[in-house]
Amino acid sequence: MVVRARLGTLPVWARRSLKIGGGVVAGWLLLSGLAAWRVPILVQDLAASQSAEILGRPARIDTVTFNPFTLVLRARGMHVFEPDGTTPLLTVAGLDVDASITSLFRLAPVLDRITVTEPRLALVREDTRRLNISDILERLAARPAGDGGTPRFSLNNVSLQGGAITLQDTITGRTHTVQSLDIGLPFLSTLPYAAEIDVLPRLTAVINGSPLDLGGRARPFDASRTSSLDFHLDNLALDAFADAWPLPYPVALRKGTLDAQLQMVFDAPPDVAPTFRISGDVALNGVDVRSTPDDAALMQVKTLAVKEMAVEPLARRVTIGRVEVVDPQVHVTRSAAGEVNVVRVATAQPGAKAPAVKDAAATATSSAPAAGAAAPPAATPSVPAASTGTAPAVKPAPAAAAEPAPAAADAPAPTASRAATAAPAAWQVAVKEVDLAGGNVRWQDAKDNFGTSLSGIALKVSALNFPDPSNAPATLSLDAKVADAGAVKVTGPVRLQPFGADLDASLTGLALPALAPLWKPYVALAIDRGTLDVKAKVRASQGASGMQVAWNGCADSIRQLRAAPLANAESQL
């Protein structure tokens, strides 16, 4: 009664304001209660209906709560199932969404925080080109694109914690895993938000037991709009992914790991062409490549490292400080039928079985009938032995007679836009130094019953540029050991485009008895002892008529030779 009496003494406008304010508060509390009750039900219903319509998958959310005073929505136990309705495809332990009241003023969703806890995605590779989510991707791709322009939104403090992905490969029987997946995306917006705020994105995971760490900084609305991302990958096993290639291939990666320490920087200042740069080091370790299906050794490399690398894709430029190749081992074999393993691999097409290659000469001559079927073969001139040591230029076989070109009236005239379109600039590649150490090439010839090796190969190349308008040569140095005691040394400048070389080459201490299987069919001698030394200047150049090779200043000698005629020799001298 006292309160009512006091209210009665207030002016009319005050009493009216109190009634209106009380009604507003009561209505707001009623709407808040309705929101707290209806929003969770609406979210659960929408999740089930939209998942079935958009993804073609049944979905369920166990519990949803909404606080209308803090605008925080919490969902627990989110499930997306396979079409059978029981096998889980995606499960999320928790989803917390903190909306901002500024959404009302901006007329666009503004979320202060999004937290996804323990998402689990189960993928299955059902065929060489199909996953268990392929139908979902096809449904999403078939949806019509919206024509309402870029949507307006602002998502802040987006984080994914404790995620996991499993990929069960039914083709190979492997199971790939991504564990401890954490993603941080502090800012994703189409609205100007705060130019001075640093966005610190992150991505950490353990992929098949190998840690991956990405982190960086970005100023998306700053004047320079500079973003950087640090990429760290340690000991990623590549052989686990090698058999995912859908087509058969004559080689297989049995072992190999990848390490990478990279930084990606993107600058997009106004009124200036944007720049994108990838810099850092990349290394392959413990590589073991084998031929298939015999699983024979083909190549092993202890380390292949690219250091001080800088790639600028927009400028089409690559600079590399140093390329290191440690202990490369190459196994070259020729079968009794004349098939060379590296030639078979190099000429094979993915998914097709390559024909057997007899040898290099057979490869060159086998293409002649194809050209000759359309045009008569050119006569092959005899090449007398020249005292100058100049090898004849290799001239290409005449091409098949071309079909008559269509009349000029029939050919469409080039349009002005085509004529004005300039070809993209060629990539510029510059390598300061290439260093190969501990190389070994083993040759085993079952056809001639012969085997030898180049061991201890040390190769150094400096100032390698491609292409090089100045035509400045690179410097090459090669040292290797032949068989047991021989040695090879090659030094000199090399140009790549067009190819040219001016080299000093020497071969010393080559043991002649080891070469007996090569000359036995032609020379009726049994050589028990002797070494061969050869020294020459070799010049090679690529011209319009083919590769030309010349040598001069040649000096050769045979030391400590001991040979005798073969008894009952059937070979001819």
Side-chain angles (χ1 to χ4, degrees):
M1 296 296 292
V2 175
V3 175
R4 183 175 299 176
R6 290 182 177 179
L7 291 176
T9 61
L10 294 175
V12 176
W13 65 267
R15 293 197 301 270
R16 186 173 299 173
S17 298
L18 288 175
K19 290 180 182 179
I20 293 174
V24 171
V25 172
W28 178 64
L29 292 175
L30 178 61
L31 291 177
S32 298
L34 289 175
W37 171 51
R38 290 300 303 172
V39 167
I41 298 176
L42 180 62
V43 170
Q44 288 178 306
D45 292 343
L46 283 176
S49 61
Q50 292 298 307
S51 176
E53 178 183 350
I54 298 176
L55 305 180
R57 294 287 195 277
R60 185 186 76 238
I61 303 178
D62 294 340
T63 60
V64 179
T65 60
F66 177 68
N67 188 329
F69 304 106
T70 60
L71 301 181
V72 174
L73 175 72
R74 290 186 172 90
R76 297 293 181 265
M78 304 174 64
H79 309 273
V80 177
F81 299 96
E82 294 284 11
D84 59 12
T86 58
T87 304
L89 173 63
L90 173 66
T91 60
V92 179
L95 172 64
D96 296 350
V97 178
D98 186 357
S100 173
I101 193 65
T102 58
S103 301
L104 300 178
F105 306 109
R106 295 181 178 272
L107 300 179
V110 178
L111 305 182
D112 288 337
R113 185 174 300 277
I114 303 175
T115 304
V116 183
T117 306
E118 296 182 3
R120 301 285 189 269
L121 178 63
L123 301 177
V124 179
R125 186 188 182 201
E126 300 172 341
D127 199 352
T128 55
R129 301 176 184 269
R130 193 166 184 84
L131 299 173
N132 59 333
I133 61 171
S134 295
D135 61 320
I136 297 178
L137 301 178
E138 293 168 357
R139 292 173 68 99
L140 295 177
R143 291 178 62 86
D147 54 357
T150 303
R152 302 173 70 249
F153 64 92
S154 178
L155 309 180
N156 306 279
N157 299 312
V158 181
S159 63
L160 183 150
Q161 303 169 358
I165 302 174
T166 60
L167 173 59
Q168 182 181 357
D169 194 334
T170 61
I171 306 300
T172 64
R174 294 180 183 265
T175 298
H176 305 282
T177 61
V178 178
Q179 302 291 340
S180 303
L181 177 62
D182 290 345
I183 299 176
L185 189 61
F187 193 88
L188 180 62
S189 175
T190 59
L191 303 173
Y193 196 67
E196 296 301 324
I197 294 178
D198 279 332
V199 178
L200 303 175
R202 76 176 190 280
L203 189 156
T204 61
V206 179
I207 304 175
N208 288 340
S210 301
L212 169 67
D213 187 2
L214 285 85
R217 300 172 66 87
R219 285 186 172 91
F221 298 110
D222 202 357
S224 62
R225 291 185 289 178
T226 299
S227 303
S228 65
L229 182 65
D230 297 324
F231 179 90
H232 301 283
L233 183 63
D234 296 325
N235 202 36
L236 177 65
L238 298 178
D239 54 296
F241 304 97
D243 50 14
W245 179 256
L247 299 177
Y249 205 72
V251 296
L253 179 64
R254 297 305 182 205
K255 292 181 181 179
T257 60
L258 173 65
D259 296 336
Q261 307 291 326
L262 300 173
Q263 184 182 56
M264 289 161 274
V265 180
F266 181 81
D267 290 326
D271 303 326
V272 179
T275 62
F276 177 54
R277 179 185 178 93
I278 304 172
S279 59
D281 302 337
V282 178
L284 293 173
N285 300 301
V287 177
D288 184 4
V289 178
R290 295 177 175 267
S291 61
T292 58
D294 55 357
D295 197 39
L298 187 63
M299 182 181 67
Q300 293 89 34
V301 180
K302 182 178 180 180
T303 301
L304 171 58
V306 179
K307 297 185 176 181
E308 302 174 18
M309 175 185 65
V311 181
E312 300 176 71
L314 301 181
R316 303 174 72 86
R317 182 166 53 243
V318 179
T319 58
I320 298 174
R322 183 179 178 87
V323 177
E324 293 183 357
V325 185
V326 181
D327 293 345
Q329 312 291 318
V330 179
H331 305 266
V332 184
T333 63
R334 187 168 72 150
S335 66
E339 182 185 56
V340 181
N341 61 341
V342 294
V343 176
R344 175 176 61 87
V345 169
T347 58
Q349 296 293 329
K353 184 178 179 181
V357 179
K358 300 301 182 181
D359 49 36
T363 305
T365 57
S366 61
S367 61
T380 303
S382 60
V383 182
S387 60
T388 59
T390 302
V394 180
K395 296 184 179 180
E403 295 183 3
D410 298 335
T415 62
S417 60
R418 288 183 181 178
T421 302
W427 279 85
Q428 302 288 327
V429 180
V431 182
K432 294 181 180 179
E433 186 177 8
V434 177
D435 189 356
L436 184 150
N440 195 345
V441 178
R442 295 183 176 89
W443 167 266
Q444 190 63 45
D445 192 335
K447 184 175 183 179
D448 291 334
N449 193 25
F450 171 71
T452 189
S453 66
L454 285 175
S455 59
I457 300 175
L459 173 66
K460 293 183 182 295
V461 182
S462 302
L464 187 62
N465 299 296
F466 182 82
D468 186 6
S470 64
N471 203 24
T475 303
L476 179 143
S477 174
L478 171 66
D479 292 277
K481 184 179 179 181
V482 183
D484 296 330
V488 173
K489 185 176 183 64
V490 180
T491 59
V494 176
R495 295 176 177 84
L496 293 183
Q497 193 179 29
F499 180 80
D502 192 359
L503 306 173
D504 293 326
S506 65
L507 171 64
T508 59
L510 179 62
L512 296 178
L515 304 179
L518 298 181
W519 65 61
K520 187 176 180 180
Y522 312 102
V523 180
L525 289 176
I527 300 179
D528 298 330
R529 188 177 63 187
T531 60
L532 174 65
D533 297 341
V534 179
K535 182 180 294 186
K537 291 184 176 293
V538 180
R539 176 172 296 176
S541 61
Q542 178 72 40
S545 59
M547 179 67 69
Q548 294 182 343
V549 180
W551 59 91
N552 53 45
C554 182
D556 56 78
S557 62
I558 297 178
R559 303 175 184 272
Q560 299 179 350
L561 177 64
R562 187 172 67 184
L566 290 174
N568 301 323
E570 297 180 359
S571 59
Q572 297 179 355
L573 183 59

